[in-house]
Amino acid sequence: MGISDSMIETTATSKHFLGMSPAAFLRDYWQQRPLLIRNAFAEFSSPLAPDDLAGLACEDFALSRLIAHNPASDRWTVRNGPFAETDFADLPESHWTLLVQDVDKWDADVAGLLGHFDFLPSWRVDDVMVSYAEDGGSVGAHVDHYDVFLIQGLGRRRWQINTDANAPKRFRDDVELKLLSEFTPSHEWLLGPGDMLYLPPGIAHHGIAEGACLTFSVGMRAPAVAEMITDFAGFVAERMADEMRYSDARILPAKAAGEIDDKALEKIGQTLRDSLAVDASTLRGWFGSFITRYRAAHEAVPRSKPLNPAEFIRRLAAGAQLQFNPWTRLAWSKAARGATLFVAGEAYPCPRSLAERICGRATLESSELATLDTASLDLLLTLVNAGHLALSRSRS
Ligand code: SIN
Ligand code: CO
């Protein structure tokens, strides 16, 4: 069954960039069905120029790929960055795409796009990937495991999708990209600057540049349940005494010594269920730590010379600001008193207002730092010394 066009297309209003309230979007579309939003970003001015993207793709630290397609032979080539300027000079006139991941970590204006998505938990957001394509450029028809908001930045891109969840999902075996061997679109649109296409996981899609174009993909992350179980089991196991052993007091004599009988199986299942049944506070502690470690592409580098509290206070009094390391994942959760702040896998007790403020990631100005108590300043100093916060001079 297809989805009717009236359910899949809308136009943004001055009040709602999604064309509806976030609550309505979450209820009817999020993780369920695609939505094309015309003019989601009215008079969109691209936070990045194609040359800046190419510059980024030449840096060692950026994760970049060049994907080219030869329409005559239907051959695909994929190259991973970093690239040299000559790589770009050698490219054909059409049918190629340059993609750079995590551009939000390098560019504050691109990171600014994420502010529009704060109706979603920030720990669900992965990155903003930016792609530049010449005419005909595409990464081929494929399926992603994550929700994505595809914002058209410059130029036009034709998006084709197939809303049929049962559409074939076989991959071509001749390309290192996971391209669908069969793709028949059920919907197709030409997106211009400021238009946005939301896709839930599992929807086959294909975006083809019509002329040169720049696309911003706000990608979500969703840990595989297998990853959650592995991590959680490790967390529980680390806290378990070695004396906790499989036990079977009062068993009946074995009928056949080699058999794992039903009673034993019941006991095994019960042991595992009981061990993994943790209380809410333990679950919060594990998940906060897990999700702020999950898919963190760069680890913070601790300060080579840790600051002492007196020096820290002196620098703040002199007007220094605190800026967040863009790679540091942050989250907070309620605690019996105040909150627990999770920073790159570590948990810290923290007043709730400060935890919220920190997870908002905005620069901490010296004026507001002056109002904090000693415990809060100690926490910030710990984060500075661990490389999660950088001290900088005030702009004023
Ligand atoms: C692109 O920007 O070219 C591809 C984005 C996607 O399909 O996920
Ligand atoms: Co995709």
Side-chain angles (χ1 to χ4, degrees), residues 171-188:
F171 299 124
R172 278 174 60 159
D173 53 17
D174 59 334
V175 193
E176 64 177 287
L177 297 164
K178 284 199 152 180
L179 298 186
L180 292 169
S181 39
E182 246 178 274
F183 173 69
T184 315
S186 62
H187 295 76
E188 172 171 322

Side-chain angles (χ1 to χ4, degrees), residues 139 142-144 148 150 159 199 205:
V139 301
H142 65 279
V143 178
D144 295 317
V148 64
L150 297 151
W159 280 104
L199 297 177
H205 56 285

Side-chain angles (χ1 to χ4, degrees), residues 66-83:
L66 259 173
I67 299 178
H69 182 224
N70 180 334
S73 63
D74 194 22
R75 288 249 327 253
W76 292 84
T77 31
V78 184
R79 287 165 59 200
N80 292 313
F83 297 105

Side-chain angles (χ1 to χ4, degrees), residues 146-168:
Y146 310 104
D147 310 77
V148 64
F149 295 88
L150 297 151
I151 305 167
Q152 192 53 30
L154 295 170
R156 292 177 199 288
R157 185 185 286 275
R158 183 170 299 281
W159 280 104
Q160 303 177 321
I161 67 168
N162 187 343
T163 54
D164 180 0
N166 299 318

Side-chain angles (χ1 to χ4, degrees), residues 44-54 56 100 103-104 106-110 113 128-132 153-154 214-216:
F44 188 73
S45 119
S46 176
L48 197 78
D51 277 352
D52 300 332
L53 191 72
L56 205 51
V100 185
V103 180
D104 54 308
W106 306 110
D107 188 293
D109 294 332
V110 173
L113 284 175
V128 182
M129 180 183 82
V130 186
S131 69
Y132 172 79
L154 295 170
L214 197 70
T215 305
F216 296 81

